[in-house]
Amino acid sequence: MKTRKFDVIVLGSGVAGGHVASRCHKSGLSVALLESHGFGGTCPLHGCEPKKVMADAAETVERFNNTSGTGPTGSAKLDWVELMRFKRTFTDDLPDKIRTHYQNLGIQTFTTAGKFAGPNTIVSGDELLEAAHVCIATGSTPRELQIPGHGHLSSSNDFLAMPTLPERIVFIGGGFIAFELAHIAAAAGAQVTIVHRSERFLKKFDADLVQRLTGHLEKLGVTFHRNCPPHSIEENGGALLLKAGEDGRQSFTADAIFNAAGRIPALAGLDLPAGNVDTRNGGVAVNAYMQSLSNPCVFAAGDVIAETMPLTPVASVEAEVVAKNIIEGPKHTMSPDVTPFSLFTYPPLATVGMLEEEAQKQGMRFDVIQGDSAGWSEYQRIGQTCAGFKLLVEKDTRQLLGAHVLGDAAEETINLFALAMRKKVDVDELRSMLWAYPSFGYAMKYMFR
């Protein structure tokens, strides 16, 4: 077996892996970048980017139809075939472009999956790669549902590549993936059902706003079933039959059933024991320097760390920490920061900071400012009837502990709240600031009335 030596081996070419490879190469280190599932990783190929292309189209349809009676005439609908053609313009040639980019930089690329052969060696096909440092950045993969007939399940990747839209769709799960894909499918005219094993949907978001959003999606035709764990799947007259709930007593017939029950670190096939790489909670166990607890040659970044927030911006920050520690030695850590994130349904739902129950559990002294904002002119102008907010304000400092927003532009408004939290701007100063009017930024002032 041929042996090739590098300074750094990076497993995975997504946001985290690509950043580590580029930064290390720029510093003068020789880098090998391994990717067997398409250069670029999940986000640009099978995740955030193509999903947002489709979500924006669904939003455009809904926004136009919301204007009935306000001047615009006619109605909009979603052409699935045309939408998929447009989506492919963002994804089809991207892996080749990204790989060519790295090759032009001078980074050695490999398309055969790698696995550990020792603490600092990786086997890729018939080649043995050796390096002073290895970075694991292979991302995440759908959590498998070990139920009878699970082979009939489709994945979110399958949904984002469907040439035609099935008439009846069931999503198993109650998180980001289920809600976002369900909204797209419903906007395109499918009969959509979400089946969730527990009571609460979207556990990372405010429960009151989730209930408001769920009610809105029900009006669009999405059906929700709580406390209904999947039991089995079987073929039934050309369709699929999902049995769920206690002892599989509830039945759901569909043309496609999607596993949207979350994702786990993608570590299968890496042979971590051979690399002396320990795991924790299913992900790579790392210290404050993003370095393996059991093998100092190895670093990790992104979704392969179970304790991290599985978000693209978080992965990029972790990757920067890893790159600095490889280049300069392990002395850099993650700076504590608030992390805003958004659910891209329509309307969008966004959050930053603590949930109300988290603040209560920690014994914080805080006020809750909340309301229904659908009556504000900003929402009335666009016919949006589902909008609301909840702010958690610490009593002593008058600073935000958490902000939760449902409605148009929530994904942008939440960034303003995150900035206020980072810079410790209290709510009285937020209220007195001058904002462009009329705008959703200015509408923040209404929340403090």
Side-chain angles (χ1 to χ4, degrees):
M1 181 175 288
K2 180 181 178 182
T3 299
R4 300 179 63 177
K5 294 188 177 183
F6 298 88
D7 294 313
V8 184
I9 298 170
V10 181
L11 305 176
S13 68
V15 170
H19 185 82
V20 172
S22 297
R23 285 279 282 110
C24 289
H25 170 76
K26 189 175 181 179
S27 74
L29 301 178
S30 59
V31 179
L33 180 60
L34 281 66
E35 177 59 73
S36 60
H37 297 293
F39 277 79
T42 297
C43 185
L45 301 180
H46 312 292
C48 358
E49 295 293 343
K51 174 208 68 183
K52 192 63 166 65
V53 170
M54 299 170 72
D56 283 349
E59 174 183 331
T60 299
V61 168
E62 191 169 343
R63 286 194 65 164
F64 183 85
N65 291 336
N66 284 348
T67 64
S68 176
T70 67
T73 59
S75 61
K77 63 180 181 178
L78 205 55
D79 184 322
W80 188 266
V81 174
E82 184 67 10
L83 174 60
M84 295 305 294
R85 181 205 62 76
F86 181 59
K87 187 271 302 182
R88 289 194 298 272
T89 65
F90 288 81
T91 58
D92 279 5
D93 59 354
L94 201 55
D96 289 339
K97 285 183 177 179
I98 293 174
R99 186 184 184 192
T100 298
H101 166 73
Y102 289 128
Q103 289 175 327
N104 289 341
L105 289 177
I107 295 172
Q108 296 295 308
T109 62
F110 297 81
T111 57
T112 301
K115 66 177 181 178
F116 280 92
N120 64 337
T121 54
I122 299 292
V123 173
S124 176
D126 59 358
E127 294 189 275
L128 184 67
L129 312 181
E130 182 180 320
H133 301 289
V134 177
C135 175
I136 304 174
T138 46
S140 62
T141 189
R143 184 189 307 276
E144 290 188 7
L145 291 175
Q146 297 298 331
I147 59 175
H150 64 85
H152 294 298
L153 285 168
S154 299
S155 69
S156 58
N157 287 13
D158 298 322
F159 181 92
L160 295 173
M162 290 190 302
T164 58
L165 181 70
E167 181 179 345
R168 300 163 298 178
I169 296 177
V170 169
F171 293 97
I172 299 175
F176 283 82
I177 298 172
F179 270 69
E180 291 178 337
L181 301 189
H183 176 259
I184 294 169
Q191 299 174 26
V192 180
T193 301
I194 290 180
V195 177
H196 187 38
R197 67 170 53 252
S198 60
E199 173 67 24
R200 181 167 172 179
F201 297 113
L202 298 170
K203 293 180 181 179
K204 294 184 181 297
F205 293 91
D206 178 74
D208 293 330
L209 296 182
V210 168
Q211 183 176 357
R212 202 179 287 246
L213 174 62
T214 301
H216 174 73
L217 294 179
E218 285 177 332
K219 292 177 182 177
L220 296 181
V222 180
T223 302
F224 294 88
H225 293 268
R226 298 170 172 83
N227 299 314
C228 199
H231 188 270
S232 64
I233 302 171
E234 60 188 53
E235 290 187 280
N236 183 32
L240 296 175
L241 180 67
L242 168 66
K243 293 184 178 180
E246 186 180 352
D247 298 325
R249 294 178 183 177
Q250 290 181 263
S251 296
F252 304 91
T253 301
D255 301 302
I257 302 175
F258 291 90
N259 174 12
R263 299 174 68 87
I264 60 173
L267 300 174
L270 293 184
D271 197 357
L272 296 183
N276 190 30
V277 178
D278 289 347
T279 59
R280 180 171 59 204
N281 298 325
V284 178
V286 296
N287 59 21
Y289 308 115
M290 315 302 293
Q291 187 178 35
S292 167
L293 292 177
S294 54
N295 181 353
C297 298
V298 173
F299 291 82
D303 295 0
V304 291
I305 305 168
E307 289 87 355
T308 196
M309 280 286 286
L311 300 170
T312 295
V314 174
S316 66
V317 173
E318 292 174 347
E320 178 64 14
V321 171
V322 168
K324 286 182 177 179
N325 286 332
I326 289 175
I327 297 165
E328 303 173 11
K331 59 184 179 181
H332 299 279
T333 61
M334 290 278 289
S335 299
D337 198 3
V338 295
T339 305
F341 51 92
S342 180
L343 176 78
F344 288 104
T345 50
Y346 188 74
L349 173 62
T351 188
V352 65
M354 291 184 176
L355 295 172
E356 186 174 0
E357 58 267 31
E358 291 173 338
Q360 290 171 341
K361 188 175 181 179
Q362 293 189 27
M364 308 291 291
R365 296 178 66 253
F366 64 97
D367 296 316
V368 177
I369 304 173
Q370 61 185 326
D372 182 344
S373 46
W376 299 351
S377 62
E378 286 78 8
Y379 297 104
Q380 288 183 334
R381 289 195 299 266
I382 58 176
Q384 190 167 98
T385 59
C386 180
F389 64 93
K390 179 182 289 187
L391 308 177
L392 311 181
V393 181
E394 191 174 26
K395 286 183 178 292
D396 296 331
T397 64
R398 298 287 292 158
Q399 291 177 1
L400 288 167
L401 297 174
H404 313 278
V405 184
L406 171 66
D408 216 83
E411 74 277 21
E412 301 298 346
T413 303
I414 209 66
N415 287 328
L416 298 178
F417 282 125
L419 180 61
M421 293 174 68
R422 289 188 187 105
K423 298 303 180 181
K424 300 188 183 304
V425 178
D426 64 41
V427 297
D428 300 310
E429 188 174 357
L430 280 175
R431 182 194 290 119
S432 65
M433 283 183 180
L434 294 176
W435 303 93
Y437 178 86
S439 68
F440 286 105
Y442 189 92
M444 289 171 58
K445 296 167 75 75
Y446 304 157
M447 299 180 187
F448 301 111
R449 289 189 301 203

